[in-house]
Amino acid sequence: MSDGTSCLIPSSPTPSSPSRRIRIVTFNICGIRNVLQFHPWNVCRTWATMFDMLDADIVCFQETKLQRKDIEESMAIVPGFEAFFSFSRYKKGYSGVAVYTRDSVCRPFKAEEGITGCLESFDLGSNGRKLSYRESESNIGGYDYVINPSDGQEIDSEGRTLVLDFRKFVLICVYCPANSTGDRSHYRETFLTTLSNRIRQLVEIEMREVILVGDINIIRDRIDTADPGECVKDGDNLDFKATFARQLLDTLLVPHPSGILVDVCRLLFPAREGMYTCWNQKINARPGNYGSRLDYLLCTKALSNICSAANILPELLGSDHCPVYADLQFPIDWANKFMADPEDTPRLAARYFPEFSGRRSILEMFKASGPRISVASTVPLQVEQAPGADKMDKPDRNVENLTSTKVIHKRKLVPSSNGTSKRSNQQKKLTAFFKQPPSHSSSTAIKEGGDEFASDTEESSFFSEEISRVSRAIEESGYAGSTSVTVST
């Protein structure tokens, strides 16, 4: 791992046949600006290091609490990863989800913001109007067209969902609304119903494999909370399963007769108690593990058959939630089927944001084309000869150990005989600018190539005299901000 860090998650069991592992991690970080301040992420405080420590290929964040205008380059441009964001449209510091995908393992072919498909995509119609995702020809599918566009935009206005298509499966990262105050029950039920219908359309109608990850904000069973009695009281019903949200989740999950998704953590740990992912920080409930399980990794039955590992990571801090992960072992011949070409990366990716598009890394800047600059032992600055370039005229005097040079065709200001500056059509050596006026016999050579060289002793003495004279001239003139200094000889 980078920066000398080690993976925090045990390796999956080695499969019997060759396979490609994809590790998915979901984490409600309760504010993207704060999570890197906590152990163990504060060791290096970079997102790439965090993802490497998790050994994750797909990282799904909920509750980023970030607005579009506040996103920083370090969040949007993570080396080796593509980033996708959904922001709350109206409320500041509220909700928000993000997904990071490792370039070397998987890159989505399509990406959408929202669950209804009613938000604007990056595709234009024939009249120049931006199309919604469900109107676009490159949509992911599974939409509930009964929802009118205005209602759909309202459902998706809080930045709660990202949908990514990897061809072999569709990933849905979601932050479902809670109902802690009791006044958002209608919005919550509408959102959960829309989410359930979209998943069923994808699985049952379009025959897609689906992975649903995130903070579902539903306690599935009594075993998933330290205080089931409190949950019953909040629902005003003695039956734990009687709430709308739990009934809807139950019908979506196996072993319900109409279930289409599998809870992979419960699949591997069916009777494990205390497998909580969220704790009340106001009462410091985490040390005593007095919490609830609200964060899930759910997938279709076929994908659950290739799940080699899944678990919670309660020892990792940074939020009132903890990360949850799952490892899926895909056939090795599928390795390249999760990889869209870089130029086909969905336009929702953060690297296409106007403030970040066209940015180059420092390494890429140093790889820019052009002549390479090197330091020679006998000349202060030389430019290496480019292959196939014309050779310069040889100097009149033989100078040992000079590297071959290439003319840089850039016009510079040089001193003229009348004391004014003019541009030269031919490049001259640096020493030519500070030489004493040439004699009549050597003027032709200087005019043609500027390649007259003085001896080392003459150069050193003349440079010192000229520098001293120019310094005195500047001090006497009292002008220190000039863009050019004319040196008369």
Side-chain angles (χ1 to χ4, degrees), residues 13-80:
T14 303
S16 56
S17 58
S19 63
R20 163 65 66 88
R21 188 215 70 182
I22 293 182
R23 171 166 289 169
I24 304 172
V25 177
T26 179
F27 189 11
N28 181 322
I29 54 177
C30 196
I32 197 169
R33 295 186 185 92
N34 301 322
V35 65
L36 292 181
Q37 300 176 16
F38 292 86
H39 180 78
W41 325 120
N42 59 358
V43 175
C44 294
R45 296 195 178 189
T46 67
W47 297 110
T49 301
M50 178 186 189
F51 302 157
D52 283 345
M53 293 173 73
L54 291 169
D55 198 16
D57 303 310
I58 300 175
V59 181
C60 303
F61 286 152
Q62 301 86 44
E63 269 200 285
T64 57
K65 297 184 178 180
L66 191 68
Q67 285 190 290
R68 172 67 180 81
K69 65 180 181 62
D70 297 325
I71 189 169
E72 300 172 3
E73 183 176 357
S74 62
M75 305 170 186
I77 309 299
V78 178

Side-chain angles (χ1 to χ4, degrees), residues 434-480:
F434 295 97
K435 282 186 174 181
Q436 296 180 4
S439 62
H440 177 74
S441 60
S442 61
S443 60
T444 304
I446 294 176
K447 183 183 295 185
E448 291 178 355
D451 286 332
E452 284 290 316
F453 284 86
S455 66
D456 292 345
T457 304
E458 290 172 345
E459 282 187 355
S460 177
S461 174
F462 182 73
F463 266 96
S464 299
E465 293 175 2
E466 283 298 300
I467 291 172
S468 298
R469 189 169 65 80
V470 172
S471 298
R472 287 195 302 272
I474 293 174
E475 290 175 358
E476 291 172 0
S477 66
Y479 183 66

Side-chain angles (χ1 to χ4, degrees), residues 323-488:
V324 183
Y325 78 95
D327 291 347
L328 301 179
Q329 301 285 351
F330 290 93
I332 194 66
D333 58 343
W334 288 15
N336 295 326
K337 297 183 180 180
F338 306 109
M339 297 285 293
D341 293 332
E343 59 270 20
D344 295 330
T345 302
R347 298 292 299 177
L348 186 61
R351 67 181 167 104
Y352 292 121
F353 289 178
E355 62 267 42
F356 305 128
S357 62
R359 290 288 180 91
R360 295 186 302 172
S361 68
I362 294 177
L363 179 61
E364 291 173 326
M365 292 173 66
F366 278 102
K367 288 181 178 178
S369 60
R372 295 184 291 117
I373 305 299
S374 64
V375 179
S377 59
T378 57
V379 179
L381 186 64
Q382 295 288 345
V383 181
E384 292 183 3
Q385 176 73 31
D390 295 335
K391 293 184 179 180
M392 295 182 61
D393 294 334
K394 294 182 179 180
D396 293 340
R397 298 181 182 181
N398 293 325
V399 181
E400 296 179 356
N401 299 326
L402 279 176
T403 59
S404 60
T405 58
K406 175 188 174 183
V407 174
I408 300 177
H409 296 285
K410 182 178 179 181
R411 302 178 69 189
K412 291 188 176 182
L413 287 173
V414 298
S416 64
S417 58
N418 61 1
T420 61
S421 297
K422 64 179 181 179
R423 291 194 178 273
S424 170
N425 291 326
Q426 293 184 349
Q427 176 67 44
K428 295 179 174 59
K429 299 288 186 196
L430 181 61
T431 56
F433 287 97
F434 295 97
K435 282 186 174 181
Q436 296 180 4
S439 62
H440 177 74
S441 60
S442 61
S443 60
T444 304
I446 294 176
K447 183 183 295 185
E448 291 178 355
D451 286 332
E452 284 290 316
F453 284 86
S455 66
D456 292 345
T457 304
E458 290 172 345
E459 282 187 355
S460 177
S461 174
F462 182 73
F463 266 96
S464 299
E465 293 175 2
E466 283 298 300
I467 291 172
S468 298
R469 189 169 65 80
V470 172
S471 298
R472 287 195 302 272
I474 293 174
E475 290 175 358
E476 291 172 0
S477 66
Y479 183 66
S482 176
T483 57
S484 66
V485 177
T486 303
V487 180
S488 61

Side-chain angles (χ1 to χ4, degrees), residues 138-151:
S138 59
N139 64 57
I140 294 176
Y143 309 103
D144 185 355
Y145 289 95
V146 175
I147 300 175
N148 65 61
S150 60
D151 290 342

